[in-house]
């Protein structure tokens, strides 16, 4: 092989490597998707946001409250629950494990510190707590598809 051919092979290999690295850095985390919460009354859509992941209410049962009536800020009590951001501010620890986030518990109007951890590709643990994780509550959420749950409307 001539030096010219080796040069082309090196450039090609470099381009292929850069393409792969670029795609990996933007790959979706295993926790992204639609999640049915433990009491089966809502589906949360978790996705990549400005800072880590965030989660918004995607679906609610027909008998669910429609407005954020327990919000401590009276001016926000008429905002729809549909589409409301309830998870935000997470730092990625590693694939499938997020910490230092916040979770809004709309039925109480309270905000807690939170962790999100994948158990497997179809199950995550969401832990809300005050102070340290030991003083909190864990829920198990199950992955669902939009075929079974239509996006709610504001």
């Amino acid at each position: 092989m001539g030096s010219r051919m080796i040069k082309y092979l090196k450039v090609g290999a470099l381009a292929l490597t850069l393409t792969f690295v670029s795609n990996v850095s933007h790959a979706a985390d295993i926790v992204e998707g639609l999640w049915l919460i433990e009491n089966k009354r809502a589906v949360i859509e978790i996705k990549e946001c400005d800072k880590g992941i965030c989660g918004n209410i995607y679906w609610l049962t027909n008998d669910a409250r429609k407005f954020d009536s327990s919000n401590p800020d009276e001016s926000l009590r008429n905002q729809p629950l549909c589409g409301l951001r309830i998870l935000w501010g997470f730092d990625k620890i590693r694939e499938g494990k997020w910490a230092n986030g916040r979770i809004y518990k709309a039925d109480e109007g309270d905000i807690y510190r939170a962790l999100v951890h994948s158990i497997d590709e179809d199950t995550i643990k969401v832990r809300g707590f005050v102070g340290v994780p030991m003083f909190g509550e864990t829920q198990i959420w199950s992955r669902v598809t939009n075929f079974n749950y239509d996006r709610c409307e504001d």
Side-chain angles (χ1 to χ4, degrees):
M1 272 204 247
S3 64
R4 187 175 219 190
M5 180 63 115
I6 291 173
K7 181 179 177 181
Y8 285 126
L9 287 173
K10 285 181 181 179
V11 169
L14 177 62
L16 194 59
T17 301
L18 290 175
T19 301
F20 176 74
V21 169
S22 173
N23 287 338
V24 168
S25 67
H26 297 303
D29 191 271
I30 192 169
V31 303
E32 291 184 51
L34 298 177
W35 300 95
L36 182 65
I37 68 172
E38 198 169 80
N39 68 12
K40 298 181 178 12
R41 298 183 53 79
V43 170
I44 309 304
E45 181 179 26
I46 296 179
K47 60 187 177 183
E48 183 179 344
C49 288
D50 292 338
K51 182 180 185 317
I53 56 168
C54 62
N56 294 28
I57 296 175
Y58 179 89
W59 172 87
L60 292 164
T61 60
N62 289 333
D63 63 340
R65 285 185 299 131
K66 301 299 181 214
F67 299 97
D68 191 13
S69 56
S70 297
N71 195 306
D73 182 341
E74 279 188 46
S75 69
L76 298 176
R77 290 184 183 162
N78 289 326
Q79 73 179 341
L81 285 176
C82 181
L84 184 70
R85 177 146 305 159
I86 66 159
L87 295 169
W88 68 91
F90 288 84
D91 295 323
K92 187 172 189 171
I93 305 304
R94 64 177 182 274
E95 176 70 19
K97 186 163 183 146
W98 296 82
N100 304 318
R102 299 292 181 266
I103 186 167
Y104 175 61
K105 192 167 183 183
D107 55 344
E108 296 175 359
D110 292 325
I111 296 173
Y112 299 96
R113 295 180 65 196
L115 306 168
V116 175
H117 177 101
S118 68
I119 296 172
D120 58 43
E121 67 183 31
D122 293 321
T123 315
I124 59 174
K125 288 194 303 188
V126 179
R127 183 157 184 83
F129 58 94
V130 177
V132 294
M134 185 171 80
F135 301 113
E137 177 184 320
T138 298
Q139 284 194 8
I140 304 298
W141 294 3
S142 303
R143 186 182 298 278
V144 294
T145 67
N146 60 354
F147 295 115
N148 298 323
Y149 298 91
D150 293 327
R151 183 183 298 273
C152 59
E153 296 181 19
D154 305 5

